[in-house]
């Protein structure tokens, strides 16, 4: 084999490898789309049926720009890794939820929220006063 034949063979091998990698990636994306197509807004709301009924739809509406049209968030979607949100994006999202749900502004910073489920639970705590959530949610006197 001459030098140019080796270059041609390696280039062809590289092209075949890239085609295989793209094909495998497209198969995974199509599989993920099929799984997400079966997930509906009603499924999302049903996961959080123990929260205030206004919270899950409000979170879905605020997250809609991050997902695109017709895609419903899943509770296990991480804010940092899956949605590529930074701390400022999460703070802005919580502020938008406060405005949408007509909640007062809070001085305390937003805690680290790992995923969509934690965001829904955090907003539910803001919406529902501790005294109306039952004895398990109210801390005992003395703080512990």
């Amino acid at each position: 084999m001459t030098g140019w034949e080796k270059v041609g063979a390696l280039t062809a091998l590289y092209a075949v490898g890239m085609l295989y990698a793209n094909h495998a990636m497209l198969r995974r994306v199509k599989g993920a789309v099929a799984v997400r197509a079966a997930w509906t807004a009603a499924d999302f709301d049903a996961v959080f049926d123990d929260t205030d009924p206004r919270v899950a739809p409000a979170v879905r509406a605020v997250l809609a720009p991050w997902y695109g049209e017709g895609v419903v968030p899943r509770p296990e979607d991480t804010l940092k890794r899956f949605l590529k949100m930074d701390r400022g994006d999460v703070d802005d999202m919580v502020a938008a939820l406060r405005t949408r749900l007509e909640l007062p502004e809070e001085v305390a910073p937003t805690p680290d929220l790992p995923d969509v489920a934690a965001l829904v639970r955090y907003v539910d705590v803001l919406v529902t006063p501790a005294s109306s959530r039952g004895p398990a949610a109210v801390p005992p006197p003395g703080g512990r």
Side-chain angles (χ1 to χ4, degrees):
M1 263 186 160
T2 66
W4 287 108
E5 290 172 338
K6 289 178 186 175
V7 168
L10 289 173
T11 303
L13 187 59
Y14 176 77
V16 169
M18 288 301 297
L19 286 173
Y20 174 75
N22 284 336
H23 174 70
M25 181 181 63
L26 286 175
R27 268 194 336 209
R28 280 185 286 179
V29 167
K30 285 181 182 179
V33 167
V35 168
R36 288 202 174 255
W39 183 256
T40 65
D43 294 332
F44 182 82
D45 294 347
V47 170
F48 302 108
D49 61 351
D50 59 333
T51 63
D52 187 287
R54 301 174 295 158
V55 173
V59 169
R60 272 191 294 108
V62 170
L63 285 173
W66 291 92
Y67 281 91
E69 190 172 334
V71 181
V72 179
R74 294 181 65 103
E76 66 271 9
D77 293 344
T78 58
L79 300 179
K80 261 187 192 174
R81 183 176 233 172
F82 185 78
L83 294 176
K84 307 292 187 214
M85 289 184 174
D86 62 9
R87 180 68 183 196
D89 293 330
V90 174
D91 290 341
D92 293 344
M93 193 171 35
V94 170
L97 285 164
R98 285 180 179 283
T99 302
R100 180 180 286 267
L101 295 171
E102 299 173 355
L103 300 173
E105 283 299 317
E106 189 172 306
V107 182
T110 305
D112 287 332
L113 302 170
D115 54 19
V116 173
L119 175 66
V120 173
R121 301 281 182 217
Y122 175 69
V123 173
D124 183 54
V125 168
L126 297 177
V127 169
T128 310
S131 60
S132 66
R133 275 189 257 133
V138 179
R144 292 195 181 206

